[in-house]
Amino acid sequence: MSDSFFQPVSGMQMPRFAGIATFMRLPHVPLDHPRAGEVQIGLVGLPWDGGVTNRPGPRHGPRQLRDQSTMIRAGHPVTGLRPFEAARCADLGDVGPNPVDNPDTLARFESFFADLSARAIRPLAAGGDHLCTLGALRGLAKGGALGLVHFDSHTDLYPPYFGGTALTHGNPFRAAVEEGLLDPRRMVQIGIRGSQYDRSDLDFARANGIRVVPIEEFFARGIADVMAEAREIVGDRPAYLSYDIDFVDPSVAPGTGTPEWGGPNAFEAMQVVRECDGLNIVAADLVEVSPPLDPSGGTAWLGASLMFEILCVMVAAL
Ligand code: MN
Ligand code: MN
């Protein structure tokens, strides 16, 4: 692909600290742009954290992820893949939330992702908290339930909190299964740890056939073995990849609302994504980076690097 329009700005032409920060220095192509119809993979920000139940902040994630992502170069270090030459990628901008109305925001996200689906643009979203994923899935799964590869220290399968019915970032995947957006038998959740409210999330997983890989099993078996099983479970039909930055150990990625000790290091955090190669990932997100809790920017830098890893898997799946 030789179309220079869809190439990122090279750090050899404009220094990386200069210019307007878009995801990976790609062109900004909102959906009303005349070339929007050519985009194959759209990077998009979801600046919203209305589902956070404890420490807020990921509404600021997309902006800091964009800034840190300007350090990404054009080629993958291991495979040699040059994703921006292999596919037309662009920064679609942000989906504007209604920060004081969660159902309205979820409806806005659903509508945006349904539009992407109709245009055959595959999204790689940057959160935002994990409830953003539910809005995306509602828009994307109209053609049938998707599989899911989910990296997180939490299952996000709890019932609604506080005695009501309001959704939070603690239950997007329970809602997605109940709404038929995800096929529970093609779901795998990896890295689960931390103290628990109760066992209702794990009971839901067991009752629905969702595979949960606790962190102890992850480290005992090793990445290659666990990810081989994950690829087996998800199969070759369309699947969503959702990556909560709190999958990573807080010594590496402290800038997130609900950190849990005893997680993967930065290399392991990237390697699990590389092991998704071969899966039919049609959409993905990286969520829960919270800039107010990330003064060094290091968590966002890891998040941006993980987005690049995910992008490479998505390009290979085109
Ligand atoms: Mn989560
Ligand atoms: Mn989590």
Side-chain angles (χ1 to χ4, degrees), residues 167-247:
L167 295 165
T168 73
H169 68 160
N171 43 41
F173 297 106
R174 188 185 188 100
V177 168
E178 288 173 342
E179 294 175 24
L181 311 174
L182 293 171
D183 176 356
R185 306 232 161 235
R186 295 181 57 226
M187 279 176 68
V188 58
Q189 304 187 297
I190 300 168
I192 308 308
R193 61 187 187 271
S195 55
Q196 300 173 315
Y197 290 108
D198 55 38
R199 308 288 280 188
S200 57
D201 61 332
L202 297 174
D203 292 343
F204 181 85
R206 196 173 305 106
N208 288 277
I210 299 166
R211 176 74 166 103
V212 176
V213 181
I215 199 68
E216 296 77 15
E217 180 183 346
F218 176 83
F219 281 123
R221 289 173 57 194
I223 291 174
D225 193 35
V226 167
M227 292 310 298
E229 185 195 349
R231 291 194 299 272
E232 187 75 23
I233 290 167
V234 175
D236 52 15
R237 282 175 292 145
Y240 193 101
L241 191 163
S242 192
Y243 202 123
D244 184 327
I245 197 73
D246 72 30
F247 171 71

Side-chain angles (χ1 to χ4, degrees), residues 54-250:
N54 191 359
R55 304 192 298 165
R59 68 178 60 184
H60 304 289
R63 191 164 282 178
Q64 196 182 22
L65 286 162
R66 277 194 179 89
D67 188 8
Q68 297 292 327
S69 78
T70 60
M71 289 199 278
I72 299 287
R73 303 182 190 89
H76 192 279
V78 181
T79 63
L81 178 69
R82 300 180 69 81
F84 311 116
E85 294 169 24
R88 290 184 298 275
C89 305
D91 185 334
L92 305 178
D94 286 344
V95 188
N98 177 343
V100 294
D101 188 329
N102 285 3
D104 181 26
T105 298
L106 286 169
R108 290 169 188 230
F109 288 1
E110 176 179 351
S111 162
F112 180 87
F113 283 89
D115 192 2
L116 292 191
S117 224
R119 296 165 181 252
I121 298 173
R122 295 185 173 192
L124 169 52
D129 72 51
H130 224 153
L131 190 53
C132 292
T133 306
L134 182 63
L137 288 169
R138 282 176 174 170
L140 294 168
K142 300 196 187 295
L146 296 165
L148 178 75
V149 188
H150 174 198
F151 302 106
D152 204 322
S153 62
H154 314 97
T155 62
D156 298 347
L157 290 174
Y158 279 103
Y161 301 2
F162 316 121
T165 57
L167 295 165
T168 73
H169 68 160
N171 43 41
F173 297 106
R174 188 185 188 100
V177 168
E178 288 173 342
E179 294 175 24
L181 311 174
L182 293 171
D183 176 356
R185 306 232 161 235
R186 295 181 57 226
M187 279 176 68
V188 58
Q189 304 187 297
I190 300 168
I192 308 308
R193 61 187 187 271
S195 55
Q196 300 173 315
Y197 290 108
D198 55 38
R199 308 288 280 188
S200 57
D201 61 332
L202 297 174
D203 292 343
F204 181 85
R206 196 173 305 106
N208 288 277
I210 299 166
R211 176 74 166 103
V212 176
V213 181
I215 199 68
E216 296 77 15
E217 180 183 346
F218 176 83
F219 281 123
R221 289 173 57 194
I223 291 174
D225 193 35
V226 167
M227 292 310 298
E229 185 195 349
R231 291 194 299 272
E232 187 75 23
I233 290 167
V234 175
D236 52 15
R237 282 175 292 145
Y240 193 101
L241 191 163
S242 192
Y243 202 123
D244 184 327
I245 197 73
D246 72 30
F247 171 71
V248 189
D249 194 77

Side-chain angles (χ1 to χ4, degrees), residues 31-65:
L31 291 185
D32 59 0
H33 189 283
R35 301 197 67 174
E38 300 171 54
V39 175
Q40 293 173 285
I41 298 180
L43 287 78
V44 58
L46 305 176
W48 179 58
D49 55 17
V52 167
T53 54
N54 191 359
R55 304 192 298 165
R59 68 178 60 184
H60 304 289
R63 191 164 282 178
Q64 196 182 22
L65 286 162

